[in-house]
Amino acid sequence: MALKFSKSRGIMLAAVAAVAGLGAAMPLQAQFNIGNAVKSAKKVAEAASYSDEEIVSFFSQMSEEMDSQNPVATMDDPYGQRLAALTEGLDSYDGLDLDIKAYLVKDVNAFAMGDGTVRVFAGLMDKFEDDELRCVIGHEIGHVKLEHGKKRMKRTLQQDAAMSVASTASSDVRRLANSELGKMFGNVITAQHSQKAERNSDDYALEFMKANNYNAEACITAMEKLGTMSSGGGIDLLKTHPSPQSRAKRMRKKLS
């Protein structure tokens, strides 16, 4: 089974000034274009003003949708039991509230969201030993702690003027439109992080392993395993991360 899924004030003022300066003599089509520019600038300004709490709320909405679309392993399932055992005590870590669960999905993959959601796929669990999985989880926690997802979420909201975000009638909580959740997941979660972000998360994973008395060498063997899989292609984790061979070499150097 595969994963499923059914700057600001200056920019705003510049757009408004353009409308005021050109006036009614502008052709109708041009007026429409300027109107769109004002709307886009407003979207950018709004995205820049979103609080961390609102960004976390967007991640929680995405997490709920993903969990509804994919089979989550329960404690009655061997995958759920294994993951719970190897992540015991990690409900809260490094100032984060974490929600670590397994998807009964054959893909070799894992991901994290800015609200502390971490999902590990059954296909990855089949390939990795416990400490190798812990290293992957540490890497994903690193993305959360270092706010890589939050930063990407804000950029995506700023860049996509068509993104639909609204406040609910009953509260001030803003919600992504259901039609936008899949696109947001693709743009924020499954897109490749920068090389710097990946290196920083790898470094975080190594420290995570050492701090919890796990075998940090497992990070190297995990990357080596991914490297042997890469020749066959089709590994989702390899599409969003740098070369596992270079990562293994760098980790080995840091541990020596």
Side-chain angles (χ1 to χ4, degrees), residues 231-246:
S231 58
I235 304 299
D236 290 333
L237 196 64
L238 299 178
K239 298 174 184 175
T240 57
H241 288 72
S243 159
Q245 293 89 343
S246 63

PDB file of all heavy atoms in Angstrom, residues 231-246:
ATOM      1  N   SER A 231      20.267   2.111  -5.696  1.00  0.00           N
ATOM      2  CA  SER A 231      20.490   1.651  -7.067  1.00  0.00           C
ATOM      3  C   SER A 231      19.200   1.178  -7.711  1.00  0.00           C
ATOM      4  O   SER A 231      19.016   1.282  -8.923  1.00  0.00           O
ATOM      5  CB  SER A 231      21.518   0.513  -7.092  1.00  0.00           C
ATOM      6  OG  SER A 231      21.083  -0.572  -6.293  1.00  0.00           O
ATOM      7  N   GLY A 232      18.267   0.690  -6.889  1.00  0.00           N
ATOM      8  CA  GLY A 232      16.998   0.230  -7.438  1.00  0.00           C
ATOM      9  C   GLY A 232      16.013   1.338  -7.711  1.00  0.00           C
ATOM     10  O   GLY A 232      15.054   1.173  -8.451  1.00  0.00           O
ATOM     11  N   GLY A 233      16.237   2.497  -7.092  1.00  0.00           N
ATOM     12  CA  GLY A 233      15.339   3.633  -7.288  1.00  0.00           C
ATOM     13  C   GLY A 233      14.015   3.418  -6.587  1.00  0.00           C
ATOM     14  O   GLY A 233      13.735   2.373  -6.015  1.00  0.00           O
ATOM     15  N   GLY A 234      13.175   4.439  -6.638  1.00  0.00           N
ATOM     16  CA  GLY A 234      11.835   4.338  -6.088  1.00  0.00           C
ATOM     17  C   GLY A 234      11.742   4.437  -4.582  1.00  0.00           C
ATOM     18  O   GLY A 234      10.676   4.203  -4.013  1.00  0.00           O
ATOM     19  N   ILE A 235      12.827   4.768  -3.899  1.00  0.00           N
ATOM     20  CA  ILE A 235      12.791   4.919  -2.445  1.00  0.00           C
ATOM     21  C   ILE A 235      12.431   6.362  -2.120  1.00  0.00           C
ATOM     22  O   ILE A 235      13.195   7.291  -2.408  1.00  0.00           O
ATOM     23  CB  ILE A 235      14.146   4.544  -1.808  1.00  0.00           C
ATOM     24  CG1 ILE A 235      14.550   3.128  -2.199  1.00  0.00           C
ATOM     25  CG2 ILE A 235      14.076   4.704  -0.304  1.00  0.00           C
ATOM     26  CD1 ILE A 235      13.594   2.061  -1.747  1.00  0.00           C
ATOM     27  N   ASP A 236      11.263   6.571  -1.520  1.00  0.00           N
ATOM     28  CA  ASP A 236      10.781   7.929  -1.280  1.00  0.00           C
ATOM     29  C   ASP A 236      11.722   8.735  -0.393  1.00  0.00           C
ATOM     30  O   ASP A 236      11.908   9.933  -0.596  1.00  0.00           O
ATOM     31  CB  ASP A 236       9.383   7.886  -0.645  1.00  0.00           C
ATOM     32  CG  ASP A 236       8.318   7.412  -1.624  1.00  0.00           C
ATOM     33  OD1 ASP A 236       8.514   7.616  -2.833  1.00  0.00           O
ATOM     34  OD2 ASP A 236       7.304   6.847  -1.188  1.00  0.00           O
ATOM     35  N   LEU A 237      12.303   8.074   0.601  1.00  0.00           N
ATOM     36  CA  LEU A 237      13.200   8.788   1.509  1.00  0.00           C
ATOM     37  C   LEU A 237      14.412   9.349   0.782  1.00  0.00           C
ATOM     38  O   LEU A 237      14.960  10.383   1.171  1.00  0.00           O
ATOM     39  CB  LEU A 237      13.644   7.847   2.640  1.00  0.00           C
ATOM     40  CG  LEU A 237      14.275   8.497   3.873  1.00  0.00           C
ATOM     41  CD1 LEU A 237      13.266   9.394   4.574  1.00  0.00           C
ATOM     42  CD2 LEU A 237      14.770   7.433   4.841  1.00  0.00           C
ATOM     43  N   LEU A 238      14.824   8.687  -0.297  1.00  0.00           N
ATOM     44  CA  LEU A 238      15.990   9.144  -1.050  1.00  0.00           C
ATOM     45  C   LEU A 238      15.649  10.307  -1.976  1.00  0.00           C
ATOM     46  O   LEU A 238      16.527  11.040  -2.413  1.00  0.00           O
ATOM     47  CB  LEU A 238      16.574   7.988  -1.861  1.00  0.00           C
ATOM     48  CG  LEU A 238      17.057   6.786  -1.042  1.00  0.00           C
ATOM     49  CD1 LEU A 238      17.566   5.681  -1.961  1.00  0.00           C
ATOM     50  CD2 LEU A 238      18.133   7.197  -0.051  1.00  0.00           C
ATOM     51  N   LYS A 239      14.360  10.482  -2.276  1.00  0.00           N
ATOM     52  CA  LYS A 239      13.946  11.579  -3.145  1.00  0.00           C
ATOM     53  C   LYS A 239      13.972  12.921  -2.423  1.00  0.00           C
ATOM     54  O   LYS A 239      14.052  13.969  -3.053  1.00  0.00           O
ATOM     55  CB  LYS A 239      12.532  11.316  -3.682  1.00  0.00           C
ATOM     56  CG  LYS A 239      12.410  10.061  -4.545  1.00  0.00           C
ATOM     57  CD  LYS A 239      10.958   9.807  -4.917  1.00  0.00           C
ATOM     58  CE  LYS A 239      10.797   8.506  -5.685  1.00  0.00           C
ATOM     59  NZ  LYS A 239       9.368   8.186  -5.954  1.00  0.00           N
ATOM     60  N   THR A 240      13.894  12.885  -1.095  1.00  0.00           N
ATOM     61  CA  THR A 240      13.813  14.121  -0.321  1.00  0.00           C
ATOM     62  C   THR A 240      15.034  14.351   0.556  1.00  0.00           C
ATOM     63  O   THR A 240      15.046  15.265   1.368  1.00  0.00           O
ATOM     64  CB  THR A 240      12.556  14.104   0.568  1.00  0.00           C
ATOM     65  OG1 THR A 240      12.596  12.948   1.413  1.00  0.00           O
ATOM     66  CG2 THR A 240      11.291  14.064  -0.269  1.00  0.00           C
ATOM     67  N   HIS A 241      16.061  13.517   0.409  1.00  0.00           N
ATOM     68  CA  HIS A 241      17.258  13.660   1.232  1.00  0.00           C
ATOM     69  C   HIS A 241      18.503  13.546   0.355  1.00  0.00           C
ATOM     70  O   HIS A 241      18.465  12.927  -0.716  1.00  0.00           O
ATOM     71  CB  HIS A 241      17.295  12.580   2.318  1.00  0.00           C
ATOM     72  CG  HIS A 241      16.294  12.784   3.406  1.00  0.00           C
ATOM     73  ND1 HIS A 241      14.941  12.579   3.211  1.00  0.00           N
ATOM     74  CD2 HIS A 241      16.433  13.184   4.693  1.00  0.00           C
ATOM     75  CE1 HIS A 241      14.295  12.836   4.336  1.00  0.00           C
ATOM     76  NE2 HIS A 241      15.173  13.207   5.247  1.00  0.00           N
ATOM     77  N   PRO A 242      19.609  14.128   0.802  1.00  0.00           N
ATOM     78  CA  PRO A 242      20.862  14.042   0.030  1.00  0.00           C
ATOM     79  C   PRO A 242      21.372  12.613  -0.061  1.00  0.00           C
ATOM     80  O   PRO A 242      20.832  11.701   0.564  1.00  0.00           O
ATOM     81  CB  PRO A 242      21.826  14.927   0.848  1.00  0.00           C
ATOM     82  CG  PRO A 242      20.969  15.749   1.743  1.00  0.00           C
ATOM     83  CD  PRO A 242      19.750  14.930   2.023  1.00  0.00           C
ATOM     84  N   SER A 243      22.452  12.433  -0.804  1.00  0.00           N
ATOM     85  CA  SER A 243      23.064  11.126  -1.003  1.00  0.00           C
ATOM     86  C   SER A 243      23.348  10.451   0.336  1.00  0.00           C
ATOM     87  O   SER A 243      24.053  11.004   1.194  1.00  0.00           O
ATOM     88  CB  SER A 243      24.379  11.284  -1.782  1.00  0.00           C
ATOM     89  OG  SER A 243      25.205  10.170  -1.595  1.00  0.00           O
ATOM     90  N   PRO A 244      22.827   9.230   0.561  1.00  0.00           N
ATOM     91  CA  PRO A 244      23.109   8.547   1.828  1.00  0.00           C
ATOM     92  C   PRO A 244      24.578   8.195   1.987  1.00  0.00           C
ATOM     93  O   PRO A 244      25.094   8.151   3.104  1.00  0.00           O
ATOM     94  CB  PRO A 244      22.226   7.291   1.744  1.00  0.00           C
ATOM     95  CG  PRO A 244      21.935   7.110   0.300  1.00  0.00           C
ATOM     96  CD  PRO A 244      21.907   8.481  -0.296  1.00  0.00           C
ATOM     97  N   GLN A 245      25.262   7.971   0.874  1.00  0.00           N
ATOM     98  CA  GLN A 245      26.692   7.650   0.964  1.00  0.00           C
ATOM     99  C   GLN A 245      27.478   8.822   1.552  1.00  0.00           C
ATOM    100  O   GLN A 245      28.336   8.636   2.425  1.00  0.00           O
ATOM    101  CB  GLN A 245      27.244   7.277  -0.414  1.00  0.00           C
ATOM    102  CG  GLN A 245      26.696   5.974  -0.976  1.00  0.00           C
ATOM    103  CD  GLN A 245      25.422   6.149  -1.791  1.00  0.00           C
ATOM    104  OE1 GLN A 245      24.749   7.173  -1.703  1.00  0.00           O
ATOM    105  NE2 GLN A 245      25.087   5.155  -2.608  1.00  0.00           N
ATOM    106  N   SER A 246      27.189  10.035   1.063  1.00  0.00           N
ATOM    107  CA  SER A 246      27.899  11.211   1.578  1.00  0.00           C
ATOM    108  C   SER A 246      27.510  11.494   3.020  1.00  0.00           C
ATOM    109  O   SER A 246      28.341  11.929   3.821  1.00  0.00           O
ATOM    110  CB  SER A 246      27.606  12.426   0.695  1.00  0.00           C
ATOM    111  OG  SER A 246      26.234  12.767   0.729  1.00  0.00           O
TER     112      SER A 246
END
